[in-house]
Amino acid sequence: MTGQPSDLLKFIDDSPTPFHVVANTEALLSTAGFVQLKERDSWKTTVVAGGKYYYHRNRSTIVAFTIGNKFQPGNEFKVVGAHTDSPVLKVKPVSKRSANGYLQVGVECYGGGLWHTWFDRDLTLAGCVIVQEEDGRYSRRLVNLKKALLRIPNLCIHLQTQDERLAFKYNKEVHLQPILSQLEAGLNKENENAKHSSALLSLLAENLSVPVDKILDLELTLADTQSGTTWGLKNEFLSSPRLDNQVHCYTGLSALLAHSANIEEDTGVSMLVCFDHEEIGSASAQGAESPVMAEAIERVLGTFDPCQELLKRTIRNSFLVSADVAHAIHPNYPEKHEKQHQPGLNKGTVIKTNQNQRYATNAETGFLIRELARRADAPIQEFVVRNDCPCGSTIGPIISSKVGIRTVDLGIPSLSMHSIRETMGCDDVVTNIKLFTTFFQQFGALDKNCDF
């Protein structure tokens, strides 16, 4: 990985769903010499100092870590946490539908998307499919159809009333259902008991090279077919789907891979955890509210020493960087930002603070990351939401309250968060990687020099 914006855009283009994020991350880790673990197996004889490992849960959450050669039980875990999911439209369990001569696909809104940005876009399908293999066993296959297959058309202006023209309104259940094809007389005859249209199933079967009757279940997402791109007079910006929050899956991974090349002097465990389901509250078996984070620390430490007292000491010595995109000031809506906290694109990573604990940053954790940023020569900005505006949240408060680990919330600033296409500054990607790499390399020594 080069750590450059072009590399980020390719990573995102290749990752239309959390399943693809995890698969592509695993491929990069494997190439770098990381060894795959399985949660169902014992790690007792596998995990050792100087090792590099990864494992997944549900193939939509991934944990990757290195263990420094000088690691001793009780030493620090340095964790970057991000999430693999984004607001999207997902295919319903029974998706077959038609109206007025059109074959459509029933979809469900996932997360809090700016759904009006999904109208009039060339959309495709991606996700996973459960199939029965020739030997009778069952497997989960990834699919990314890539080609433009679906569209949610706007209503033309001439059929709208004056009031409708003034404010674009839509019903999520009625108006977000995409067109897949046109019905033809005598064709497209459907099995009334089928959950999905035969046309959709045939398309998937062809892509997977399996008979239609071997497709047993599916979890599919609509995705934009337009690739990410850099733009601006000096190509200083980049726009892409799913920057929230694949950008930090990428920057965290880039930093971990860079750090993994030399861990001979490392005294701690450097870890990247990318969770699913952040956009819907994190309450799932693979979300940040699950035991994933606590179990990762406990199981790795347990291969060296299972003592509960040592586990508690380890957690107090450890640190989580909760990385999720931040709000850059909008040139057309500057009044939405607090006057002293107006992050800009290409001006550095944003530290997020909220005294009502919507973000987990405090004086100690904020100082530590600011000092690491100074050492990395990585610019830092500050964000506090206005008192008269609601504040979003992240995995930070969830994990810090459940695990007890010190946590800072930060992120690369962006425009159009939760749109089908979001925007960031190219320089911020590079400096964010520098910050995370320095975090992995220097946090342990810095923390030992602090008496808080």
Side-chain angles (χ1 to χ4, degrees), residues 320-361:
L320 167 69
V321 174
S322 167
D324 205 346
V325 295
H327 299 292
I329 189 167
H330 195 302
N332 302 335
Y333 302 90
E335 70 279 3
K336 295 297 184 179
H337 273 69
E338 202 276 336
K339 291 184 178 180
Q340 302 302 318
H341 301 83
Q342 300 185 340
L345 301 186
N346 289 313
K347 294 184 179 179
T349 299
V350 178
I351 297 177
K352 310 175 190 177
T353 303
N354 182 267
Q355 298 304 327
N356 295 296
Q357 292 301 293
R358 300 293 288 171
Y359 304 131
T361 307

Side-chain angles (χ1 to χ4, degrees), residues 74-304:
N75 285 4
E76 70 279 359
F77 277 62
K78 303 158 289 184
V79 186
V80 172
H83 65 88
T84 60
D85 62 322
S86 305
V88 291
L89 297 174
K90 292 199 171 191
V91 174
K92 291 181 176 180
V94 180
S95 71
K96 183 182 65 175
R97 61 183 292 158
S98 61
N100 302 101
Y102 294 103
L103 181 63
Q104 294 180 284
V105 176
V107 296
E108 179 182 6
C109 297
Y110 174 91
L114 292 176
W115 302 120
H116 66 275
T117 65
W118 287 70
F119 284 76
D120 295 326
R121 303 291 301 183
D122 296 326
L123 305 172
T124 190
L125 289 167
C128 72
V129 180
I130 305 296
V131 301
Q132 185 175 28
E133 304 291 354
E134 292 182 357
D135 61 3
R137 296 179 64 82
Y138 305 102
S139 66
R140 176 159 45 174
R141 303 261 204 100
L142 294 188
V143 62
N144 181 8
L145 298 180
K146 296 185 179 180
K147 66 175 290 187
L149 292 167
L150 301 150
R151 196 173 186 87
I152 306 169
N154 261 301
L155 179 65
C156 72
I157 192 170
H158 307 94
L159 298 181
Q160 298 180 42
T161 66
Q162 186 63 36
D163 288 342
E164 288 173 332
R165 296 178 189 181
L166 292 175
F168 178 52
K169 296 181 180 179
Y170 56 91
N171 181 294
K172 290 187 287 186
E173 178 61 27
V174 177
H175 301 134
L176 283 175
Q177 308 308 315
I179 295 171
L180 174 63
S181 183
Q182 192 168 27
L183 293 171
E184 299 179 34
L187 299 177
N188 304 102
K189 293 183 178 180
E190 297 288 337
N191 178 353
E192 292 184 0
N193 297 320
K195 294 181 179 180
H196 307 285
S197 71
S198 59
L200 175 59
L201 293 175
S202 296
L203 190 66
L204 294 171
E206 180 182 1
N207 183 269
L208 296 168
S209 299
V210 298
V212 170
D213 63 357
K214 298 302 181 182
I215 296 177
L216 305 180
D217 213 333
L218 51 83
E219 186 174 340
L220 297 179
T221 293
L222 274 63
D224 191 4
T225 58
Q226 183 180 353
S227 297
T229 187
T230 56
W231 60 277
L233 192 61
K234 300 178 181 178
N235 276 328
E236 65 265 49
F237 308 119
L238 62 86
S239 293
S240 174
R242 303 178 299 280
L243 284 171
D244 178 9
N245 189 33
Q246 288 189 24
V247 65
H248 287 119
C249 297
Y250 173 83
T251 59
L253 176 61
S254 296
L256 183 64
L257 290 174
H259 175 65
S260 71
N262 184 7
I263 56 175
E264 283 77 10
E265 300 299 317
D266 193 356
T267 61
V269 173
S270 299
M271 181 176 285
L272 172 69
V273 187
C274 299
F275 297 92
D276 197 2
H277 294 151
E278 188 275 343
E279 296 292 356
I280 55 171
S282 296
S284 72
Q286 52 271 12
E289 201 168 338
S290 75
V292 167
M293 185 73 260
E295 289 178 358
I297 297 174
E298 185 171 4
R299 291 198 68 179
V300 173
L301 178 63
T303 62
F304 296 88

